[in-house]
Amino acid sequence: MTPTNDQSAKRNLILILGDQLSRNIASLRQADRSRDIILMAEVAEEANYVQHHKKKIAFLFSAMRHFAQELEADGWQVRYVRLDDPENSGSLTGEIGRLRAEQPVARVVVTEPGEYRLKSALLNWAEEADVSLDIRQDSRFLCSHERFRTWAEGRKQLRMEYFYREMRRETGLLMNGDQPEGGKWNFDHENRKPAEGGLFLPRLPETRPDAITEEVLELVEARFGKHFGTLRPFWFAVTREGALQALESFTEQALPCFGDYQDAMLEGERFLYHSVLSHYINAGLLEPLEVCRRVERAYYEGHAPLNAAEGFIRQIIGWREYVRGIYWLNMPGYTERNFLGASRPLPRFYWTGGTDMACLAAAITQTRDEAYAHHIQRLMVTGNFAMLAGVDPHQVHEWYLAVYADAYEWVEAPNVIGMSQFADGGLLGSKPYAASGNYINKMSNHCAGCRYSVTQKTGEDACPFNPLYWDFLVRNQDKLRDNPRLKRAYSTWDRMSEPRQEEYLDSAKKVLDKL
């Protein structure tokens, strides 16, 4: 039905972003199918503000196109702008303006963007264009900005564990009355087993590209061929139905062992028992709470142990919500923090995988091929090396934002600037996650086939993590020596003989000179 002029004057333009592919998104509530018009657009500005992985662009464009079709089939009026549309302005604000020039709208409605950059751009545009802009709270998250500010106010230190307990109480997840299931809030000490060869490892469900996805893959190859990453084979689900199948596959096959091996790394095994659901959750194809409820049900049905269910749920209602709170509490400016004054350029092998360090080569090659690496690979391999080497944290931040399919600034920046690089000086975490090669040897089998020796501490054949660990502590001792969680490490350094200390620092210098 074509709206009358009176209806058009009252029509809302509803902007749905590429990471808001949910039928329950706040901007669609109280909307009128017969009157309002939905705008979705593939724009160069969003695809290019960092060099996004090819698979990430293909996933979002294909998921957007499928979602737009679903909305149209459900009776919504959808204006969908493809990247190769000759009239495409190249920006979201440009596409809003183009649509408004064609037909009158009363106001623009959008669910709050996840990134400060985009929210600021929309607000600035609306002010300059004198447009009524209604930005609605993103109800997919459990904790609003105001709720997080209230929780954080007056606290000397912000720690996820205490925030997580409040989220458990509020959601009722894994709660027995007012007490946590099993008598403890956190079973993380049970979740640090190294993986061994011979384990039964489930395989991720793979979605065969349909005609829509194939068209997108061809577009990405043509327009983003120089971007980082391998595009094919492309196995991501691009619909809610496919994402739900991935959730069921994880719950049935991998969840029972997820807790035990969530920190493990195994040569040649890229996914182990991880869910690989974060890109579906962050794009809106899965709701965070529904995922947690499904995992909770698996525990109560006796299918998964408590340490697995609790560890997984903590990552979503604890860590995911917490880092989003940290991000919005500290923007703008958070991504520019550099507490340790690190300034080294990001090594080229982060883009190629061309390094003799087996753990780094595995994590980066996997990232190139899958647009995915699990949290320990990100934190304790690529992140740990960058921090020990003194790489500029903003360059590290931009790399992580570019290369992972689940990366959006609200979740990526606190994980990198705060947890991985300690560039926020301890706002997010209580200590730098610095480790020598011993940690990687404990949690993986990478070291067995590495060109370097993890047991050798100094010299040409020593694992580079070993001398870099001590060089990092010495280089930053003015800022880190008083950290109570590093006292033991500094005491060990102080007990070393001066010649031994010089060996470590000389070996570290040789590693850094080669970067």
Side-chain angles (χ1 to χ4, degrees), residues 297-315:
R297 179 157 60 88
Y299 163 69
Y300 283 121
E301 290 174 350
H303 182 67
L306 183 55
N307 69 303
E310 185 278 319
F312 184 86
I313 287 171
R314 178 165 19 98
Q315 288 190 1

Side-chain angles (χ1 to χ4, degrees), residues 142-143 160 163-174 288-289 292-293 310-322:
L142 305 177
C143 185
M160 189 277 290
F163 171 79
Y164 165 59
R165 294 178 186 183
E166 292 200 18
M167 292 296 100
R168 283 275 294 277
R169 291 187 184 101
E170 289 184 12
T171 60
L173 286 162
L174 295 178
L289 198 54
C292 291
R293 295 287 184 209
E310 185 278 319
F312 184 86
I313 287 171
R314 178 165 19 98
Q315 288 190 1
I316 295 181
I317 69 167
W319 191 252
R320 184 175 185 269
E321 295 281 335
Y322 178 70

